[in-house]
Amino acid sequence: MYDLVIIGAGPAGASAGLIAARAGKKTLLIDSGQSMTKRAWIENHYGVAEISGPDMVELGKKQAAKFGAEIAEGKVESVDKQNDGFLVTSDQGSYEARHVLLATGVLADLADKIGVTTVPGTEPRIKTIVQTDANNKTSVEGIWAAGTIAGMSVHTIVTAGDGAKAAINIVSELNGERYVDHDVLKS
C-alpha cells in the first residue's frame, strides 16, 4: 500500500511527489500525459531562466523519482474507498493508497466521478475546480487536491507551490506532527 498516490505529474503533482518521497513516504505518481504544461514555454518560473513545458514535466518526475517516488503511466478511471484507504484504478493497473492527491490540472471529470465537492472555476477558462480547505483537503476524508484543479492559477510556479504545500500537509497528517524539510548549505 502506498502512503500517497498522486494523480497527475505536472508541476503540482511532481512537486508533491518530490516532497512526500523525500519525507520517506511510499509515493506513486500516475501520469496520463495530459498536462497542459506540456504545451507551454516557461520564462516566468523563479529559479529557471527558461524551459519548455515537456522538459519541466520530465524534470519534475525525475526529481520525485530521485527521492524514491514511483512513476506509472496511465489514465485513472476510479478511486474507491476501502477499509483503510483507497483503491486507485487506472487503465494500466490498480494501486492501494492511504491518501490520494488530485493534481489533474483542468481535468475535473475524475473529481466528479469520485464525488468530491466541485464548484465553478475562478480562473479564466477553468470551468470546474475541487473545493478544498486551506490545507488542500477535499470533502472526502483522505482525498486532497492541489494546483489548478484546486482553484490555483495555472502558472507553473503557483501550482508547484500548491503541490508542495499539499504534500507537506499530507506528510504532517501521516506523521502526526508538523513536517518541515530544510537543507543547509554544505561547507
Side-chain angles (χ1 to χ4, degrees), residues 156-178:
T156 60
I157 192 80
V158 175
T159 61
D162 197 50
K165 180 186 98 172
I168 289 167
N169 291 330
I170 294 165
V171 170
S172 296
E173 187 164 305
L174 287 164
N175 290 350
E177 63 183 8
R178 188 71 182 157

Side-chain angles (χ1 to χ4, degrees), residues 66-101:
K66 173 185 173 183
F67 294 108
E70 295 175 38
I71 313 291
E73 302 297 320
K75 182 171 175 55
V76 173
E77 298 168 339
S78 64
V79 177
D80 298 303
K81 184 75 175 138
Q82 305 270 296
N83 290 337
D84 57 348
F86 300 91
L87 181 65
V88 179
T89 304
S90 80
D91 57 359
Q92 301 297 312
S94 295
Y95 314 92
E96 292 182 326
R98 287 182 172 73
H99 293 268
V100 173
L101 176 64

Side-chain angles (χ1 to χ4, degrees), residues 89-141:
T89 304
S90 80
D91 57 359
Q92 301 297 312
S94 295
Y95 314 92
E96 292 182 326
R98 287 182 172 73
H99 293 268
V100 173
L101 176 64
L102 300 174
T104 56
V106 299
L107 304 175
D109 55 333
L110 181 62
D112 285 332
K113 191 173 183 181
I114 292 171
V116 297
T117 301
T118 59
V119 296
T122 54
E123 289 288 305
R125 296 176 298 283
I126 307 300
K127 294 179 183 172
T128 305
I129 60 173
V130 172
Q131 187 174 48
T132 65
D133 68 10
N135 293 320
N136 298 82
K137 289 184 175 186
T138 71
S139 60
V140 176
E141 185 66 32

Side-chain angles (χ1 to χ4, degrees), residues 4 6-23 27-29 37 45 56-65 67 69 71 101 103 146-147 155-171 179 181:
L4 176 60
I6 302 165
I7 303 169
S15 182
L18 185 160
I19 297 288
R22 186 175 152 113
T27 304
L28 173 68
L29 286 108
T37 301
H45 194 105
M56 177 175 269
V57 170
E58 287 309 307
L59 178 60
K61 291 191 299 189
K62 284 180 186 175
Q63 286 178 302
F67 294 108
I71 313 291
L101 176 64
H155 295 87
T156 60
I157 192 80
V158 175
T159 61
D162 197 50
K165 180 186 98 172
I168 289 167
N169 291 330
I170 294 165
V171 170
Y179 174 71
D181 178 13

